[in-house]
Amino acid sequence: GLSSETLYYYRYYATNAAGEDWAPSTTNFITLLAALTVDNSTGPSSVTTNSATLKCSLVSPGGTNINASLWIYYGTSDGGTDRVSWATNRAFGTKAIGTYSTNVINLTSNTVYYSRAFASNSGGMAWAPTTTNFATTDGGPILFVKADATGINNGSSWSNAFVSLQSALGSAVSNNEIWVAAGTYKPTTGTNRSSTFQLKNSVDIYGGFIGTETNRNQRDWTNNLTILSGDILGDDIGFSNNTENAYHVVRGTNNAIIDGFTIKHGNADGSFTASYGGGMYNSSNTYPTVRYCVFSSNTATFGGGMYNDNAFPTILECTFSRNSGTWGAGMYNEGALCTSTVQYCIFLKNSPTAMFNNQGASPMILNCIFTDNSCPGNGGAMNNVGGCSPTISECVFSKNNATDGGAIC
C-alpha cells in the first residue's frame, strides 16, 4: 500500500519485562518508480458481424513519464506477448493515463477474435496481463438479448446473448429477428435524453422470453415482463423525478415489428420533435407494426404514449394505461397521411384524453375499449379536431369523463 517513488522513514523499537529501547538511529528508503502498466480488461464492445470496438487503458506510464504510446493487437489467434505473432494492430498514438477505444472493421462473421493491449515509452514496454476475446455475430436470422448473460455477449445464443438491446439493434441487419429476455432495458447508460431505441427497417424485435426458448411461440410476454424504460436514472416516482428521462423510449421506422414489450417512463417535454411521443414517436411516412405492447406512465406535450406524425402504424392488441400529457395522453394522431390502424387495444385511465386526432388524421379504430379516461376539457376518451375523420367500429366506451363529450368530442 505504499506510494511509488516516495521517501519513507522507519526505526526499530523493542520492549519486554526488563524495559524498552529504540534503535540508535532512524533509517529510510525510497520506493521504486511505478512500472509502465497497460490493461484491456474492459473488453471489446459493440460487436457486430464485421466490426468491434476495442479498448486499451493506460494505468501508469511508469517512472517519471507522463504518457506512453499505445497499441491494440488483434487477430484470429492469440499472439501472447510477441508482437510479430499478432495478425494486425491499431495504434492509438501517445496518450496520458486513461481508457481509449477504436473501431475495427472488415472482420469475418461468426469468428472468434483475440486482442491484447501494448504500451511503450522511454521506460520500457508492457503488455496487458491477459488476452481478451470476442466473437463476431453470424448474421443469422435471430439475435439474442438477455440482461444477465455471462457468455461472450455476441448475440449468437441465449448463453452468449447481448446484455444490451442497443447492441443488438446496432448489429442487426435486414431480416434479423431480435429476441429479448425478461428484464429492464434503457436506451442509454449515460444521461443523453435524446437516446432512444431506434427500430431498424426490416428488423423485428420480440420480448417476453425467459431466456431458454427455441421457438418464438414459447414466450410469455404477460409474465416475462420485458421493459423498455426511459427512466435513465431509475428514480421515477409516478411522474415525479422524470426531468432526465428519455424524450422517446422508442422511435419507429418502416416495415419493422415491435412485439411483447412494456414501454414506460418516456418524457417528451422538449421542443419540436422532442415534445412528441414519450413512449413511441413515429415520424412522417413510417409504418411499424406494434403488437402485444403496454404503454404506461409515459408523458409528452403531444401523445404521452404514442405520437403518429403523418405516419400509418398498425397497432394490435396493445394497452395504453395511465399515460399523461398536454394533448392526447394515450395517443396523438396528426396529419392527413395519418391512417393508423388501432385494433383490439385498451385505453385505460389516460388523462387528458386517451386519443387526440388532429389536422385531418383518419385512423381506423376497431374493436377497442376506452374506459376510465378523462379530460378537464373536451373528449375524455377521444377528441377530434382539425377536420379529422376517424373510422370507429365495434368499440366500447365506458366511464370516461370530460367537461364536454365524456366519450367522444
Side-chain angles (χ1 to χ4, degrees), residues 153-397:
N153 303 132
N154 68 347
S156 61
S157 65
W158 284 123
S159 59
N160 293 318
F162 291 115
V163 296
S164 161
L165 176 55
Q166 292 289 36
S167 295
L169 286 167
S171 298
V173 297
S174 182
N175 299 318
N176 275 155
E177 286 185 11
I178 300 174
W179 292 8
V180 188
T184 298
Y185 303 84
K186 299 180 182 182
T188 180
T189 57
T191 58
N192 184 359
R193 297 188 65 198
S194 297
S195 299
T196 186
F197 291 112
Q198 173 64 66
L199 303 186
K200 297 182 78 170
N201 189 19
S202 300
V203 173
D204 302 335
I205 66 173
Y206 297 90
F209 295 90
I210 197 170
T212 58
E213 294 86 345
T214 57
N215 187 299
R216 189 169 5 110
N217 294 330
Q218 296 171 327
R219 68 194 176 118
D220 180 354
W221 58 84
T222 301
N223 292 310
N224 301 326
L225 290 182
T226 311
I227 299 170
L228 307 183
S229 174
D231 184 11
I232 293 172
L233 296 183
D235 62 350
D236 281 19
I237 303 174
F239 291 104
S240 300
N241 301 331
N242 68 352
T243 55
E244 92 295 341
N245 289 22
Y247 292 122
H248 326 287
V249 180
V250 178
R251 287 196 64 161
T253 190
N254 298 336
N255 198 33
I257 296 173
I258 179 169
D259 180 315
F261 292 87
T262 296
I263 298 167
K264 61 194 306 183
H265 297 313
N267 180 21
D269 65 349
S271 302
F272 302 105
T273 58
S275 66
Y276 301 158
M280 185 173 186
Y281 171 41
N282 296 311
S283 58
S284 182
N285 292 311
T286 56
Y287 48 93
T289 296
V290 186
R291 196 164 54 200
Y292 307 130
C293 288
V294 175
F295 293 80
S296 180
S297 302
N298 300 287
T299 186
T301 306
F302 304 94
M306 181 183 294
Y307 182 93
N308 300 312
D309 179 13
N310 280 298
F312 34 101
T314 298
I315 305 154
L316 303 173
E317 299 193 55
C318 292
T319 298
F320 295 78
S321 68
R322 301 181 186 275
N323 298 288
S324 181
T326 305
W327 305 93
M331 182 184 298
Y332 193 110
N333 297 302
E334 181 165 23
L337 297 179
C338 183
T339 56
S340 309
T341 297
V342 185
Q343 188 169 21
Y344 300 117
C345 292
I346 298 172
F347 292 79
L348 172 68
K349 295 184 181 297
N350 300 282
S351 181
T353 305
M355 181 183 292
F356 196 99
N357 300 312
N358 193 16
Q359 297 294 320
S362 54
M364 294 186 64
I365 306 157
L366 312 172
N367 314 101
C368 291
I369 298 172
F370 293 78
T371 187
D372 283 331
N373 303 286
S374 63
C375 181
N378 301 330
M382 188 183 302
N383 194 357
N384 301 300
V385 300
C388 291
S389 55
T391 298
I392 305 170
S393 177
E394 298 186 30
C395 293
V396 175
F397 295 81

Side-chain angles (χ1 to χ4, degrees), residues 1-12 25-34:
L2 304 181
S3 299
S4 65
E5 198 181 357
T6 302
L7 177 63
Y8 286 88
Y9 298 88
Y10 68 96
R11 192 169 188 174
Y12 293 111
S25 63
T26 297
T27 56
N28 61 69
F29 65 92
I30 300 176
T31 51
L32 297 174
L33 299 176

Side-chain angles (χ1 to χ4, degrees), residues 67-80:
N67 50 42
S69 297
L70 303 179
W71 289 263
I72 192 81
Y73 283 80
Y74 64 97
T76 55
S77 60
D78 184 355

